[in-house]
Amino acid sequence: MLDGLFIGFGVALDPINLLYVFVGVVIGTAIGVLPGLGPTATIALLLPLTYALDPATAIIMLAGIYYGSMYGGTITSVLLRMPGEAASVVTTFDGYQMAKQGRAGPALGIAAIGSFIGGIVSVIGLAIFAPMLADAALAFGPVAMVALMVLGLLLVTSLGMGSSWKALVMATVGLLLATVGQDQISGMPRFNFGSASLLDGFDFVAIAMGLFGVGEILHNLEQGGHLNKIAKKVTKIMPTRDDAKRSAMPIVRGSLLGFFIGILPGGGGVLSSLASYALEKRVAKHPERFGKGAIEGVAGPETANNASSTSAFVPLLVLGIPSNVVLALIFGALLIQGITPGPSLIPNHPEIFWGVVASMVIGNTMLLILNMPMVGVFVQLLRVPMGILVTFAIAIVLIGTYSIANDPFDIWLVLGFGILGWLMKRTGFDPGPLVLAFVLGPILEASVRQSLLISGGDFTVFIGDPIAITIYTLIAVGIAFATIRRFTKGRPSVLEQARNIPPVTGLIELVRSRRDAKTRTTTDASADAAAYTATGEGEHADSTSKQ
């Protein structure tokens, strides 16, 4: 490993590669900030430029764009509730609420710090455990991925800011929207109603920008434009000591969780940020704070998001399995260079693997240095007058959405989902579960179809895989724990009631006190009944005498 790192830093510290690391992270941050321009469209546009570059240099730059966009996507998620990427949706739950409370600075600051730590931890794990983790990731076949996606969908329904049934309805709608387009196996069109624009299904950017971007803008206009009021409360960027204390363990847990989820083919930033948020909400002493501005809800998911985007290079480089669209484009960039990612990459091209690993350390350091001072610049977006901000935001959303496929139909989709998002806001439905289920839906469908093709249509295949059985067991234990917790919530335990009673006789005294209280209640009820009877008889006697 040490020999590999020496090779890697020798490649990454080359002046040309240092320049391209810087260019990559700056471009990544910029396209992450601009709603609608995700890393997918940017890398697709820059792909022709990599033809003339050295393979290691090209992948270093593209990787910088990828994890740099994770930083940038946080900014609009917190300030404007406009996630440019699916992985940033979870950040809107508490990050935007912190901005409304005048704490946008600490939210962005802790996100930058957590992302840096998550990226560095993931790089260290990548260097140490890559061969071993690659073998473990290979064990996740289609059946295990079905179980993993079921777990992800259950986590989605637990994240709704309203009631659980509303979150379940939104997740169901998201799964239904994900079925629109061409069938993944046969290629036949489904639910496109004869529209050629829907052959590829609904675009994520159109849905996310409509529900979160346009929908939030319409809601703000209806409320009279409260963003200007928020701007006056924006103060410090650096998190306070209390914020750091609350965020320490979420960052640790997010780093580890994001790293291990990222190495799974199909894991990625969505599932890692989703799992991190659900975990932090589960272990919190006061889970009711989540969705109302809990800094843990920003620190954990943002850390997990960046950690998974780094560790996702394990299945790409070591196994030749891209876990998302962005990594598929990077996969294509390597193929263009005549290099096939897979188990032979490390022995045959160590400069590429270790050069990318070393460049991630340098790139994450650059991002931290750039983003902490620049956060204040982005916070000033909240000070822009509402009319200018709305006009600019709508223009960026529409231009960004149109630029992906150059299809005017996507603009109508954004406006349609914007109206839907506004209506959901008014009726108490949270769009988060819908968007996240929409992202997980195609992965679930593909895994189910592949499993049934392998088994010849035998549905027992879903309960025959050891990894799947383990995941289903964890799901069952989690549901049982949540059910017990719901029924016992608010009921003080026997030990809590006996806390102030001497330990030796505590339980005995508690039983006696309950018995005495019951006896007193019965006696008081009997006395009240007797008094009522006596009063009634007296009134009857008086009435008779008067007659």
Side-chain angles (χ1 to χ4, degrees), residues 271-504:
L271 193 58
S272 61
S273 58
L274 187 64
S276 176
Y277 190 89
L279 176 62
E280 295 309 320
K281 189 175 181 181
R282 179 66 62 190
V283 303
K285 294 182 179 179
H286 301 285
E288 65 277 3
R289 293 175 52 249
F290 283 74
K292 300 177 182 177
I295 196 168
E296 303 97 307
V298 177
E302 280 300 315
T303 303
N305 178 11
N306 205 60
S308 67
S309 67
T310 302
S311 62
F313 279 84
V314 169
L316 173 69
L317 298 177
V318 180
L319 304 178
I321 302 175
S323 57
N324 55 48
V325 179
V326 178
L327 293 179
L329 290 173
I330 297 177
F331 183 92
L334 282 170
L335 293 178
I336 291 171
Q337 299 280 358
I339 297 171
T340 303
S344 62
L345 179 68
I346 296 179
N348 294 340
H349 302 281
E351 74 283 356
I352 294 179
F353 178 82
W354 293 108
V356 170
V357 170
S359 72
M360 289 178 177
V361 177
I362 299 171
N364 276 280
T365 305
M366 287 180 176
L367 282 169
L368 183 66
I369 295 173
L370 287 172
N371 276 270
M372 290 304 292
M374 292 295 291
V375 162
V377 175
F378 295 115
V379 168
Q380 300 306 312
L381 286 173
L382 290 173
R383 300 187 184 276
V384 177
M386 188 63 179
I388 298 176
L389 183 60
V390 166
T391 304
F392 178 77
I394 290 289
I396 289 295
V397 166
L398 296 181
I399 293 172
T401 304
Y402 178 77
S403 66
I404 294 177
N406 295 328
D407 189 352
F409 181 75
D410 288 339
I411 295 179
W412 292 108
L413 279 181
V414 169
L415 297 177
F417 278 106
I419 295 173
L420 177 62
W422 169 66
L423 293 174
M424 289 168 60
K425 188 81 173 179
R426 297 196 64 181
T427 53
F429 285 88
D430 184 29
L434 185 154
V435 176
L436 294 170
F438 175 79
V439 175
L440 297 178
I443 303 175
L444 174 63
E445 182 189 358
S447 300
V448 170
R449 302 279 293 274
Q450 290 170 6
S451 301
L452 292 175
L453 286 173
I454 292 172
S455 66
D458 185 5
F459 281 87
T460 59
V461 68
F462 296 111
I463 56 174
D465 185 85
I467 298 178
I469 293 173
T470 303
I471 295 175
Y472 290 136
T473 303
L474 293 175
I475 291 174
V477 171
I479 293 174
F481 178 78
T483 303
I484 294 172
R485 186 177 181 183
R486 174 172 295 181
F487 278 107
T488 58
K489 187 177 182 181
R491 301 179 183 177
S493 65
V494 172
L495 293 178
E496 288 176 345
Q497 296 178 52
R499 182 174 296 169
N500 297 323
I501 302 176
V504 177

Side-chain angles (χ1 to χ4, degrees), residues 86-102:
S88 301
V89 171
V90 178
T91 308
T92 65
F93 295 163
D94 284 280
Y96 183 68
Q97 294 300 320
M98 289 183 67
K100 290 175 66 176
Q101 298 165 13

